[in-house]
């Protein structure tokens, strides 16, 4: 998602919010994978129910690399959770992957499966209210 200076949904602040995506991911090939996370501010990635990455503090348009140390199977759905925190100004989060058989690319929606409800947003400066994502 690249909201830039916009709010993630109507009637919601464009700064000072969090978002959580939970679901499943299936790799297209049996291989060792690397995740690439592009974010403006902070992010935490959980893979197969274990925290595999957490950025420290605030960052402007950073990219982090997370190498998974196990061979993934194309026949398995793996749990995935991505927590994002937007502080101020631009808001951006992209999850990419790569492997020996797959060039670096945004994880396609066809490899992602929802398992635990909709994306949740909360404004941490406005009472912590949580809302479901409404597409503009």
């Amino acid at each position: 998602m690249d909201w830039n200076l916009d709010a993630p949904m109507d009637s919601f602040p464009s700064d000072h919010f969090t978002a959580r995506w939970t679901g499943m991911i299936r790799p297209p090939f049996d291989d060792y994978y690397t995740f690439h996370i592009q974010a403006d501010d902070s992010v935490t990635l959980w893979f197969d129910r274990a925290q595999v990455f957490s950025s420290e503090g605030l960052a402007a348009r950073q990219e982090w690399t997370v190498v998974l140390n196990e061979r993934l199977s194309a026949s398995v759905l793996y749990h995935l959770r991505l927590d994002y925190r937007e502080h101020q100004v631009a808001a951006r989060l992209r999850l990419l992957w790569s492997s020996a058989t797959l060039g670096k690319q945004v994880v396609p929606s066809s490899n992602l499966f929802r398992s635990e409800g909709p994306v949740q947003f909360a404004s941490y400066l406005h009472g912590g209210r949580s809302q479901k994502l409404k597409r503009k």
Side-chain angles (χ1 to χ4, degrees), residues 96-109:
L96 300 90
W97 61 4
S98 63
S99 74
T101 55
L102 181 72
K104 183 176 167 182
Q105 63 176 296
V106 172
V107 176
S109 60

Side-chain angles (χ1 to χ4, degrees), residues 15-35:
D15 291 322
H16 309 289
F17 67 85
T18 61
R20 173 175 288 170
W21 290 265
T22 55
M24 309 291 277
I25 188 169
R26 182 184 338 210
F29 311 104
D30 293 356
D31 209 342
Y32 290 90
Y33 284 81
T34 298
F35 284 114

